[in-house]
Amino acid sequence: MNLLKQKIRTEGIVLSDSVLKVDGFLNHQVDPVLMQEIGEEFASRFAGEGVTKIITLESSGIAPAVMAGLRMGVPVVFARKRKSLTLTDQLYSAGVYSYTKNETNEISVSTDYLSSDDVVLIIDDFLANGQAVLGMLSIVEKAGASLAGIGIVIEKGFQNGGAALKDRGVRVESLAVVDSLENGSVTFHNEEASLK
Amino acid sequence: MNLLKQKIRTEGIVLSDSVLKVDGFLNHQVDPVLMQEIGEEFASRFAGEGVTKIITLESSGIAPAVMAGLRMGVPVVFARKRKSLTLTDQLYSAGVYSYTKNETNEISVSTDYLSSDDVVLIIDDFLANGQAVLGMLSIVEKAGASLAGIGIVIEKGFQNGGAALKDRGVRVESLAVVDSLENGSVTFHNEEASLK
């Protein structure tokens, strides 16, 4: 996705060798046109897989997931990080450890909105160590649903989440894979550092 | 918005005289086609107001706000309910008391994404007592930005948020106004109860 890589290059901020801040178009301010293109790209990559439902995690996964759902003609369920008083239903839940926040959150999806008939596409904004996606995978398994694959906006290729998922035989489609953030600059996968 | 009202009638669940659960298409599972129509309706109602930015609150405001932003050609900023370790910037913040959760959350927007040059449309999923919108209004005021108005998906007309905002001279556009949830059924504003 060239538009996405261009945005990362021009607006992404490398805070350290492991932290890429994209608050300008994905994690705080959202660029709706970019989200539309991302949604169309996910729809294209997972066309023909019989996807019936997209699962994402609040909050930054919602915009790309809803754009993909619009294009694919399927509903989107965002897993919640904490329970609401009006969520009176039965829940599928999983624990997700966040290395950046150093805490474990329980994420949940109502049993009303995921069943064994579903074929699920999981979408998330970032893939680093894979904890959030593994939590969503656990929820999909608890529901007895099938998995079409995982769509990631930005994968940190230098962390182990992508490899761990591929080792499980899961299809992972990442629209931009960052191989390094060293020396304050972004190197994408399959690109010479000199092309930065 | 007839499609919205029809969804509320057929899929909304009245949990009490004050709680309407719309987890099936807005607050947990999201209907992307409905979100697109909601976005187009907000864009139409606030056309010509010179809006440069949409502000919403994570998580349920994001889908309708991003669809409105797509149609209006402006970025969307979702105010965060808690700080992230990568949010190293200066913040505009406000306290928001939640009656349903019985707690006060601080919501924040980075000073990078809101300035005195902006003309802001605030979008949120629900308007009840108005606390969340008042928090976002406070953030807009702290930034010195102008306000075009407030777009609400579902307003609980029997609570005082809408009246409080209109008393301040703020334009509020609610796509569905629920006047009553008594006896387990939804009565919309300007409709006979018999038309439910």
Side-chain angles (χ1 to χ4, degrees), chain A residues 21 28, chain B residues 77 87 89-92 108-114:
Chain A
K21 180 177 159 181
H28 183 30
Chain B
V77 177
L87 250 182
D89 301 309
Q90 293 297 104
L91 300 173
Y92 302 117
S108 303
V109 167
S110 164
T111 58
D112 286 348
Y113 305 120
L114 189 60

Side-chain angles (χ1 to χ4, degrees), chain A residues 165-186:
Chain A
L165 292 169
K166 286 162 198 165
D167 284 349
R168 292 176 58 158
V170 173
R171 179 179 172 198
V172 180
E173 293 282 345
S174 299
L175 305 190
V177 179
V178 174
D179 268 357
S180 165
L181 295 171
E182 286 173 16
N183 305 315
S185 67
V186 178

